[in-house]
Amino acid sequence: MTPEEQQRAKQGVLLAIGAYTMWGIAPIYFKAISDVSPLEILSHRVIWSFFLLALLLHIGRRWRSVVDVFKSKKKMAYLLSTSVIIAANWLIFIWAVNANHMLDASLGYYINPLINVVLGMIFLGERLRKMQWFAVALAACGVIVQLVAFGSVPVVAIALAFSFGFYGLLRKKVSLDAQTGLFIETLVLLPAAAVYLLWFANSPTSNMAENPLNLNILLIAAGVITTLPLLCFTGAATRLKLSTLGFFQYIGPSLMFLLAVLVYGEAFTSDKAITFAFIWGALLVFSFDGLKTNKQTRNSALVK
């Protein structure tokens, strides 16, 4: 690995830690605006993120990169797909947090690193080692046990894991800087968000002119809450292997899990306990394999 590649990898690690920590504590924000419907919150996330990203692009004088993307049909096709996927992911997550399904959201983001290695294998040609296969099998067993023994399917968890996994995969394939990619994604979603808020939303909080100042400030803050961790994530995704990036995602669901159980009092039922046990076991195996492989790689490099 060249010095430049090492520097990019270090940057990727710091960006990944920042992203997943912010996502882990994000439920605190969404709980604070739980009186607002999920679709309204999603619309505010899109609108205020768009304006914040436009400001960042203007300050950085990076509009040419946006124009260049519009000239590429392939990149635009990827970004049209990622915008729909990330919007679905946001909506499911907001609903889960405010409907007291934060544990399900936490489970989804625990599963996601394992989904990442499978997607990396299928679409990027990254090979899975034996221990990684075992970790994926353990995770699958956890979901199957919940389905067979308790007759319940962790739909929220699976939807979040796969949607975010495919988002990371496609953003890695398009290989675009974070600000430009996110700006175009929010631009794609902006018309739908604006139309919904202006003409379809009909709730006590849908008219910002009638809202308390503190609520409007929180709604506008959705731009920062959304943009900052995603900028970190997309920056990390272009610097790290997809399987390596997945390793850091343990931070987010761990914080989310603690918030759900210790702060917001969600019930840690037996079906969830069994599924989580399998997932945690899988992640232990996956982490051990990753650490062992990294050590062997370093030792090989020293020998050479």
Side-chain angles (χ1 to χ4, degrees):
M1 186 180 285
T2 65
E4 287 184 2
E5 289 174 336
Q6 289 178 338
Q7 182 63 25
R8 280 180 62 81
K10 289 178 181 178
Q11 291 172 351
V13 167
L14 293 174
L15 288 168
I17 291 171
Y20 291 126
T21 300
M22 286 185 278
W23 272 318
I25 61 174
I28 298 172
Y29 167 78
F30 292 111
K31 286 287 189 183
I33 54 173
S34 58
D35 290 337
V36 182
S37 74
L39 271 174
E40 279 184 47
I41 297 173
L42 174 62
S43 299
H44 282 287
R45 290 187 76 170
V46 170
I47 291 168
W48 302 116
S49 295
F50 168 80
F51 286 116
L52 176 58
L53 287 161
L55 177 63
L56 291 173
L57 285 170
H58 184 70
I59 292 172
R61 297 180 179 181
R62 304 185 69 171
W63 288 109
R64 179 168 291 279
S65 62
V66 176
V67 174
D68 290 340
V69 174
F70 278 115
K71 292 178 181 177
S72 170
K73 291 182 180 179
K74 183 179 179 180
K75 287 185 177 180
M76 281 304 300
Y78 274 121
L79 290 173
L80 286 170
S81 301
T82 56
S83 63
V84 174
I85 292 170
I86 199 60
N89 181 273
W90 288 347
L91 184 61
I92 295 166
F93 179 74
I94 295 165
W95 176 87
V97 169
N98 288 345
N100 297 318
H101 287 283
M102 203 187 303
L103 278 173
D104 291 323
S106 172
L107 177 62
Y109 290 117
Y110 271 124
I111 295 172
N112 182 248
L114 303 172
I115 298 298
N116 282 342
V117 297
V118 174
L119 293 178
M121 177 195 69
I122 296 171
F123 296 102
L124 301 179
E126 297 177 2
R127 289 186 176 183
L128 264 65
R129 297 178 293 273
K130 290 180 180 179
M131 294 290 276
Q132 288 180 316
W133 275 115
F134 182 52
V136 172
L138 275 177
C141 286
V143 175
I144 292 168
V145 166
Q146 183 171 343
L147 173 62
V148 175
F150 298 94
S152 59
V153 180
V155 176
V156 170
I158 291 171
L160 287 173
F162 274 92
S163 60
F164 206 66
F166 275 105
Y167 177 75
L169 172 69
L170 293 175
R171 282 305 304 264
K172 190 173 181 69
K173 274 184 166 291
V174 78
S175 189
L176 190 64
D177 72 272
Q179 287 185 20
T180 303
L182 287 171
F183 174 77
I184 294 173
E185 285 171 345
T186 54
L187 175 62
V188 169
L189 297 169
L190 184 65
V195 167
Y196 177 77
L197 276 184
L198 292 173
W199 283 286
F200 290 97
N202 184 21
S203 72
T205 58
S206 59
N207 187 346
M208 293 187 72
E210 298 176 358
N211 287 342
L213 178 61
N214 63 330
L215 177 58
N216 282 339
I217 291 172
L218 284 172
L219 291 173
I220 293 171
V224 176
I225 299 295
T226 300
T227 301
L228 192 56
L230 272 173
L231 284 173
C232 290
F233 172 77
T234 50
T238 58
R239 290 168 171 81
L240 299 173
K241 288 173 63 177
L242 195 61
S243 53
T244 305
L245 181 63
F247 176 82
F248 294 97
Q249 193 166 346
Y250 306 160
I251 298 168
S254 296
L255 292 172
M256 217 177 292
F257 177 87
L258 293 173
L259 283 173
V261 176
L262 301 179
V263 179
Y264 297 109
E266 287 192 21
F268 192 44
T269 54
S270 56
D271 61 329
K272 285 187 173 63
I274 292 172
T275 302
F276 269 95
F278 272 100
I279 300 301
W280 286 330
L283 295 179
L284 282 172
V285 171
F286 181 69
S287 301
F288 174 78
D289 175 74
L291 292 170
K292 182 181 176 182
T293 303
N294 287 339
K295 186 178 179 180
Q296 289 173 344
T297 303
R298 285 196 301 269
N299 290 340
S300 298
L302 289 172
V303 171
K304 291 178 182 178

